[in-house]
Amino acid sequence: MSSEDKSRDIDINQGNYNELIKGHYINGDYIEIKNFPPPITGFPQNIPRSSTDKFVGRNSELINLHQQLVRQGEATIAHIEGMGGIGKTELAIVYSLISLEHNNYPGGICWLRCREENIGLKIIEFTRIKLDLNPPKDFELPEKVGWCWERWREGDTLIVLDDVTDYGSIRPYLPPQSSQFKILITTRLKLELSNPLYLEVLSKKEALELLSELVGAEKVNQELAIAQELCLRLGYLPLALQLVGRYVKRRRISLSEELRRLEDKALAHSSTELPKNKSHWAPGIERGVAAAFELSWSELTEPAQELGCLLSLFALAPIPRSLVESSAGGRDPEDLENLRLELENLHLLPVGDNYQLHQLIQEFFRDKQERLANAEEQKADLCTAVAEVAKTIPQVFTLEDINYFARFIPHLAETASFYQNSLSDEDLIGPFVCLGSFYQDQGAYEQALVWREQSLSIAKKRFGESHLDVATSLNNLSSFHINQGRYEEAEPMYLQALGIGKKLLGESHPDVATSLNNLAVLYNAQGRYEEAEPLYLQALGIGKKLLGELHPDVATGFNNLAVLYIDQGRYEEAETLCLKALELRKKLLGESHPDVATSLNNLAEIHNAQGRYEEAEAFFLKALELRKELLGESNPYVATSLDNLAKLYAKQGRDEEAEPLCLQALELRKKLLGESHPDVATSLNNLALLYEHQGRDEEAETLFLHALWLQKKLLGESHPYMIASLNNLALLYHKQRRYEETETLYLQALGLRKELLGESHPDVATSLNNLGTLYYNQGRYEEAKPLYQQALKIAEATLGENHPNTNIFEQGLQYTLYQIKNKN
């Protein structure tokens, strides 16, 4: 044959097969098996009956399979690998039927079931019945088989070896390496053959299409969400979908009812088994999903079976190798690797760095695990390993920490949810604490709350009301409520935690200092400054005495006390403490740490309040840069930094720079914290201030009112943030000359600030100045004069003579005195 003729043969046999396959798919979705015409009488073939009427998906796999088998002039072996129930046999049947219809193998199609049958005898039986060949009786079996291969009918021939369990045992019976014979192997083993066709589960779309074909598209469309959940529940495994789909159709039940039944009984439910009357199914098809897996289970050694059982206890997610090794009861890592290869060789585990089971295999192994003699010991080993991970939890999660811990989180959650009884007393709340912190630090508050509440509940259940783990859980849950602005819920929990700590540990202990500090944070957030300060000082004193000056907890004590002094307008004292905290944190934690960013941010707040804007900007920018680098772009602390920088720019009249930052902070807080949160109200208030400066009064008023409503609802009538919003709304009305409304709000803000902050706070001076300016604008100079005088006195004492606010107050007083003098 010339080279041109050979090329043309390839085009005919291979190049057109893509279109041939696609032509069999109806609407591009499935192949109607019953549409295949009956085979020509007398043609040598024994293709088993398909177990389905409609074959969904696998288009590319069929094309790939044919391209491997029809290479011209070569003896070829193609093999399909995959877990039990994945559809290897069905793919081989459909390929054989298409090939039969299009006469791709004129020499015949010989199907050999390899698991239970003697392959040599079956080959001889096929040739005797289909090819009328009778090998000499005095030959040994391998010689008889060889004699049959030599006298086979002419033309390309397909030999299908289905469900090969031992390639070495069938190798002596394979046909000679002749280009006539094309061998197709299906196996759940990993064979040392080139170019395996590895079958994955169906895609979500294909699984839903298969279910639709089995139960009817109308039923699926009516319960679409349930149908999708059912496909997920079955792990998109073809055999499971086939069995369950036929069960639903036969029983005429809803998909939701079937899902409920599966949840109750899992693989033990009859819908995952082949009905007793299985005439529709191909010979050799396993009796159900569990039966398919049982065949693989029986081929595992006992240690490999135990490893499979251990893996079933983990969550349905990739399992880090280190976690498996630490859960494996001290087994040598190399031995573990050998057992892992056993599971991989049967496609019970995918190849990769992590371990991960298919959902239904997990259920199968978990059922086996319950029957192990060492079942409880395995659970305890898993819990110990998970608890060790939880002990490494950082105080604040950085991006690096999140990426590291993310792979462990599903397994911590699985342990905390299902194996609480196997957690030791010492390790009980560790996984809950880790999970709560992981989600809270990312702003995933709904998930964080679940674990914070469960930590408290499980600790009380095991230990009673008075235990250190109960105190820890109370502290953590309280910190969550403070973060959400739920101060009334937080206070009794903090007080209870403090009481437990003092009772069990005495008055002077680091854990007691932590509780004192937490309670002070709450009082500070509520504006209860006089109550907060002694608690901060007491906690700091205990920390210094017990831990020494060089300790992160002492740095935190300096930082928190500094925040209190900032809120009180005691800026010199605050700066001294802030610098101490920053120096300590850099020394103990390094230059790049979230706590360092917090200290930088607080220093910026001090400089901003003092009118030292260049220094404030530098610190705000550095804090923002650090937080983005360490915590990621989408983090509550990043939103705070954006908002702070926006406020600074707005104060300097840099509106074009301020507005995008303000909007970014607002959207980030809404996304992370929800629409109803104190920080969202703060962002609304800051954006309103910006709009007011720009003359966008209607937008500003709407935002001010919304912020004020949120703060009253969340923080109460006398919180510093709410008072600031009152004052800001009054400023807007003042500008609009709505003097009666303005005066009411100014007086209300002034009274609340005096009550909350004392007579000598910078914010009180601001309120006095604002009210004085209102009276000045109304010509009420005699009433304005004492207000300006009081404001100036407070500003000079707390802010200094060169502060911008001091200068503004002094200027107001001079204008007023001038007006009084001229009037007289």
Side-chain angles (χ1 to χ4, degrees):
M1 179 183 289
S2 67
S3 61
E4 289 81 359
D5 288 340
K6 184 175 181 180
S7 174
R8 186 168 60 251
D9 283 345
I10 292 174
D11 287 342
I12 292 170
N13 289 286
Q14 183 172 327
N16 293 335
Y17 194 75
N18 292 16
E19 294 304 317
L20 183 154
I21 288 290
K22 291 174 183 175
H24 275 283
Y25 278 85
I26 299 173
N27 298 323
D29 295 334
Y30 62 90
I31 295 175
E32 190 83 65
I33 300 296
K34 63 184 179 183
N35 285 348
F36 284 103
I40 300 170
T41 303
F43 183 83
Q45 63 88 18
N46 62 340
I47 305 169
R49 184 177 179 181
S50 171
S51 60
T52 183
D53 293 329
K54 294 175 181 178
F55 181 74
V56 172
R58 309 297 196 200
N59 185 319
S60 61
E61 288 87 346
L62 283 170
I63 293 170
N64 188 349
L65 183 58
H66 188 68
Q67 288 174 343
Q68 286 191 41
L69 286 169
V70 299
R71 292 193 292 268
Q72 295 294 310
E74 298 181 34
T76 56
I77 298 178
H79 69 293
I80 307 170
E81 292 184 4
M83 61 185 280
I86 201 73
K88 304 178 294 295
T89 297
E90 201 61 50
L91 179 65
I93 290 174
V94 171
Y95 174 74
S96 299
L97 290 173
I98 293 174
S99 299
L100 179 63
E101 180 176 354
H102 295 276
N103 197 29
N104 291 323
Y105 297 104
I109 299 176
C110 175
W111 189 284
L112 303 168
R113 175 77 177 170
C114 297
R115 178 171 289 276
E116 297 107 2
E117 299 173 349
N118 186 310
I119 298 305
L121 293 177
K122 284 298 176 181
I123 293 169
I124 293 170
E125 180 183 338
F126 180 90
T127 57
R128 182 180 294 119
I129 296 172
K130 303 294 183 180
L131 301 177
D132 198 23
L133 294 176
N134 291 289
K137 293 182 179 180
D138 57 343
F139 280 15
E140 295 295 327
L141 184 58
E143 294 174 304
K144 289 181 180 180
V145 172
W147 185 90
C148 292
W149 292 133
E150 291 172 3
R151 290 159 180 78
W152 202 274
R153 174 174 171 160
E154 290 186 3
D156 283 353
T157 302
L158 178 65
I159 308 297
V160 181
L161 301 169
D162 184 36
D163 200 8
V164 170
T165 58
D166 182 1
Y167 185 66
S169 68
I170 66 170
R171 196 166 187 172
Y173 301 108
L174 295 182
Q177 292 189 354
S178 161
S179 61
Q180 174 184 358
F181 295 104
K182 314 296 181 181
I183 300 173
L184 171 57
I185 293 173
T186 75
T187 180
R188 62 187 70 200
L189 301 175
K190 290 182 67 65
L191 300 182
E192 297 300 322
L193 298 172
S194 61
N195 300 320
L197 179 58
Y198 175 66
L199 285 195
E200 301 275 2
V201 295
L202 296 175
S203 68
K204 293 179 183 180
K205 179 175 178 291
E206 291 169 342
L208 201 61
E209 287 168 357
L210 177 55
L211 188 62
S212 296
E213 296 305 326
L214 292 166
V215 305
E218 184 178 352
K219 182 185 284 285
V220 166
N221 290 334
Q222 286 174 349
E223 297 183 86
L224 184 58
I226 297 295
Q228 292 168 335
E229 189 177 349
L230 183 59
C231 291
L232 174 64
R233 177 69 182 74
L234 297 172
Y236 309 113
L237 188 69
L239 177 60
L241 287 161
Q242 286 274 1
L243 291 166
V244 167
R246 294 181 186 282
Y247 177 90
V248 168
K249 186 173 183 179
R250 187 170 63 251
R251 296 293 183 100
R252 295 190 293 278
I253 60 173
S254 67
L255 297 178
S256 55
E257 173 59 21
E258 170 58 15
L259 186 60
R260 186 194 65 76
R261 295 181 186 185
L262 279 175
E263 293 297 338
D264 284 346
K265 295 188 177 180
L267 290 180
H269 191 256
S270 59
S271 64
T272 65
E273 299 173 352
L274 194 62
K276 292 180 180 179
N277 178 16
K278 59 171 187 172
S279 59
H280 186 83
W281 293 74
I285 294 290
E286 290 87 7
R287 291 204 53 83
V289 177
F293 297 159
E294 189 70 45
L295 293 174
S296 298
W297 170 266
S298 64
E299 294 177 25
L300 293 171
T301 62
E302 185 176 334
Q305 289 176 345
E306 286 195 7
L307 176 59
C309 290
L310 174 64
L311 296 177
S312 76
L313 297 175
F314 290 88
L316 199 64
I319 311 167
R321 186 181 300 234
S322 62
L323 195 55
V324 176
E325 289 176 356
S326 57
S327 303
R331 189 179 288 275
D332 181 76
E334 191 172 349
D335 289 343
L336 258 185
E337 201 55 49
N338 293 332
L339 300 179
R340 174 200 174 105
L341 287 173
E342 268 198 68
L343 295 168
E344 284 183 2
N345 286 338
L346 283 164
H347 293 282
L348 297 169
L349 270 180
V351 177
D353 289 337
N354 293 313
Y355 294 76
Q356 184 169 13
L357 297 176
H358 180 274
Q359 180 165 327
L360 296 183
I361 290 179
Q362 182 203 45
E363 291 180 18
F364 176 80
F365 277 151
R366 192 168 284 188
D367 179 65
K368 295 288 187 182
Q369 199 278 336
E370 293 294 334
R371 306 176 197 181
L372 286 181
N374 63 337
E376 293 307 314
E377 184 181 339
Q378 275 196 342
K379 291 177 183 176
D381 287 342
L382 167 64
C383 288
T384 300
V386 165
E388 287 302 312
V389 172
K391 288 175 184 176
T392 64
I393 176 179
Q395 285 191 336
V396 179
F397 276 89
T398 64
L399 270 182
E400 184 179 349
D401 295 324
I402 289 167
N403 291 333
Y404 173 77
F405 277 93
R407 54 189 174 153
F408 297 102
I409 290 301
H411 310 296
L412 266 73
E414 191 83 0
T415 302
S417 298
F418 299 108
Y419 309 124
Q420 296 170 3
N421 292 337
S422 298
L423 283 162
S424 68
D425 287 355
E426 180 188 355
D427 295 335
L428 180 63
I429 67 167
F432 297 92
V433 172
C434 186
L435 289 161
S437 298
F438 179 82
Y439 289 117
Q440 186 170 327
D441 283 2
Q442 295 178 77
Y445 294 116
E446 289 186 12
Q447 291 159 287
L449 178 59
V450 169
W451 298 112
R452 295 299 195 205
E453 289 180 335
Q454 284 193 28
S455 176
L456 179 59
S457 173
I458 194 70
K460 284 184 175 181
K461 182 178 178 182
R462 182 173 294 191
F463 303 123
E465 294 287 334
S466 185
H467 190 274
L468 291 178
D469 280 358
V470 173
T472 298
S473 299
L474 285 165
N475 269 317
N476 291 335
L477 185 55
S478 297
S479 76
F480 174 86
H481 287 316
I482 287 180
N483 191 280
Q484 298 290 294
R486 302 174 188 159
Y487 302 135
E488 291 183 5
E489 296 175 63
E491 184 172 8
M493 292 183 183
Y494 272 148
L495 290 169
Q496 187 182 350
L498 180 60
I500 293 171
K502 286 182 175 180
K503 177 183 176 182
L504 298 176
L505 303 170
E507 296 282 338
S508 184
H509 189 278
D511 288 354
V512 172
T514 297
S515 287
L516 289 167
N517 180 77
N518 291 341
L519 188 58
V521 168
L522 169 64
Y523 290 160
N524 194 9
Q526 291 177 296
R528 296 161 64 180
Y529 303 134
E530 290 185 5
E531 295 171 83
E533 185 172 8
L535 296 176
Y536 275 140
L537 290 169
Q538 189 181 350
L540 184 58
I542 294 172
K544 284 181 177 181
K545 178 182 176 182
L546 299 177
L547 305 172
E549 294 278 347
L550 295 176
H551 193 277
D553 286 359
V554 174
T556 297
F558 287 140
N559 176 80
N560 292 347
L561 191 56
V563 171
L564 172 67
Y565 291 162
I566 292 171
D567 290 339
Q568 291 180 304
R570 298 159 64 180
Y571 300 123
E572 289 185 10
E573 296 170 88
E575 186 170 3
T576 300
L577 290 170
C578 225
L579 288 169
K580 278 187 178 180
L582 179 61
E583 182 184 355
L584 258 182
R585 283 171 164 173
K586 284 183 175 180
K587 185 173 184 178
L588 297 170
L589 307 172
E591 297 277 341
S592 185
H593 190 278
D595 287 353
V596 171
T598 296
S599 287
L600 290 168
N601 180 79
N602 293 341
L603 270 174
E605 291 277 19
I606 294 168
H607 292 156
N608 186 19
Q610 293 175 316
R612 298 154 63 182
Y613 299 137
E614 287 187 13
E615 296 167 86
E617 182 177 4
F619 284 126
F620 274 143
L621 286 170
K622 181 61 178 174
L624 175 61
E625 178 188 349
L626 257 184
R627 282 172 168 172
K628 283 184 174 181
E629 176 190 334
L630 297 171
L631 307 175
E633 298 278 344
S634 184
N635 184 278
Y637 290 108
V638 171
T640 297
S641 283
L642 290 167
D643 211 34
N644 290 341
L645 192 58
K647 283 189 291 184
L648 174 66
Y649 290 159
K651 188 183 288 189
Q652 293 176 293
R654 298 160 64 179
D655 290 358
E656 289 186 5
E657 295 169 87
E659 185 172 358
L661 294 174
C662 224
L663 289 169
Q664 193 178 344
L666 176 60
E667 290 309 308
L668 194 51
R669 281 171 163 168
K670 283 182 177 179
K671 174 186 171 185
L672 295 172
L673 310 173
E675 297 279 342
S676 184
H677 190 278
D679 288 353
V680 171
T682 297
S683 281
L684 290 169
N685 182 73
N686 294 338
L687 186 59
L689 273 175
L690 183 63
Y691 287 164
E692 187 269 327
H693 292 159
Q694 294 175 330
R696 298 158 65 176
D697 289 357
E698 287 187 13
E699 296 171 85
E701 183 175 5
T702 300
L703 292 173
F704 276 139
L705 289 169
H706 189 190
L708 193 58
W709 174 81
L710 262 182
Q711 288 163 339
K712 283 183 179 179
K713 173 186 172 187
L714 298 170
L715 306 174
E717 295 281 348
S718 58
H719 191 278
Y721 294 168
M722 195 280 298
I723 300 168
S725 290
L726 275 176
N727 184 76
N728 293 338
L729 183 60
L731 286 171
L732 175 64
Y733 290 162
H734 190 168
K735 186 180 79 169
Q736 295 174 328
R737 300 188 178 184
R738 296 161 63 176
Y739 293 142
E740 288 187 13
E741 295 168 272
T742 303
E743 184 172 6
T744 301
L745 293 176
Y746 275 155
L747 288 169
Q748 187 180 351
L750 176 60
L752 286 169
R753 278 175 167 167
K754 283 183 176 180
E755 179 184 338
L756 187 64
L757 307 173
E759 297 280 344
S760 301
H761 192 279
D763 288 353
V764 172
T766 298
S767 282
L768 289 165
N769 174 78
N770 292 344
L771 188 57
T773 302
L774 172 65
Y775 292 160
Y776 178 91
N777 290 339
Q778 292 177 298
R780 298 161 63 181
Y781 305 124
E782 294 292 345
E783 295 173 82
K785 176 183 172 182
L787 297 173
Y788 279 131
Q789 289 172 330
Q790 291 177 56
L792 181 59
K793 182 179 178 182
I794 295 170
E796 287 175 340
T798 58
L799 303 176
E801 293 184 357
N802 296 320
H803 192 277
N805 283 1
T806 306
N807 296 331
I808 290 170
F809 301 163
E810 185 175 10
Q811 190 177 55
L813 177 59
Q814 294 303 321
Y815 285 155
T816 302
L817 293 173
Y818 175 79
Q819 292 294 343
I820 292 173
K821 180 180 178 182
N822 287 344
K823 184 177 180 181
N824 293 333

